Amino acid sequence: MITVNPDACEMAIPDGIFRLEDYTSSKARWCSGCGAHSILHAVKQLCNEQQLPPEKTVFVSGIGCSGRFPHYMKTYGFHGLHGRAFPVASGVKFRRPDLHVFVITGDGDCCSIGAGHWVHAIRYNMKMVALLFDNSIYGLTKKQTSPTSPMGTVTNTHPTGSVLPPINPIQSTLGLPNVSFVAQTVDWKPAHLQATIQKAYAHPGLAFVRIVQRCPVFMHDNYEPTVKDPDAITVLDHEKGIKLSEKELAKFRHVIDHDPSDIVKAREVAELVKKTLPIGLFYQNKEAIRYDEYGAHNMGISIPDRMKAIDHLMDRYAV
Ligand code: SF4
């Protein structure tokens, strides 16, 4: 009789190879069915595919349901103040250009209290991936109107329906100087979500990705029709854009050709949102100026030379 030793059947993982579970910290405590779960999985897959060393990877978040993201990654993380994810991440990247930096922000965090930081982070264009978890509601504080809530949304702050037109984060980002990467995806199309995050990671500057995210607790009626209606989404397809396999692309009824090097067309396509939800790469410019390349590290200035320069400047104030 042959006896099998189960331990002997396990595939040996060579030292230095990071597995998916090596990026997993505590169990995510978002609500059941929340779109944030699929985004977390897609990001872990990216880390695994790229073999990002956990000790060289940093997730910086602000406040909101999305803000809990760094707690669930076994990497470095910073769960900071409301709206301040961009400046903290910019500081990390500027001081430590060797780190892989991710910004996790929500529609309230980015487009309301943090809007000033969002504008300037796009302009500074430091190499990092910014993921906007956009559920169009303040979920953590139990259903208040957010800057991206559609007009007429009934919330605790607008019990008879919100009255202002929402911000379109794609359109707004495309209007900023030195913008270099703008993409949109949805949490419920895993192949597209994964391909978008991979493309964003490969971009040499700040990759801004709006992820339309389901909040089944407070915005059930908002995204449910989009999730169920096969006509609700239009995919932007191009050889320079986010590539899906033929099989995945065939799952969408509406596909349009869009060259992501054309910013004028990108702004037009961003307007489509009134009729359908466009997903894909709107714009990419790999040549945009990167502020992190002007840091002392990247200019090759040694630590003693930096200290000498600081001493020289401070001497001006000697009494
Ligand atoms: Fe997700 Fe909404 Fe629950 Fe927040 S409130 S965790 S966004 S489902």
Side-chain angles (χ1 to χ4, degrees), residues 29-36 65 135 139-140 213-218:
R29 288 170 56 199
W30 292 304
C31 308
S32 166
C34 176
C65 293
N135 57 7
L140 191 72
Q213 184 215 314
R214 287 165 300 166
C215 170
V217 174
F218 296 118

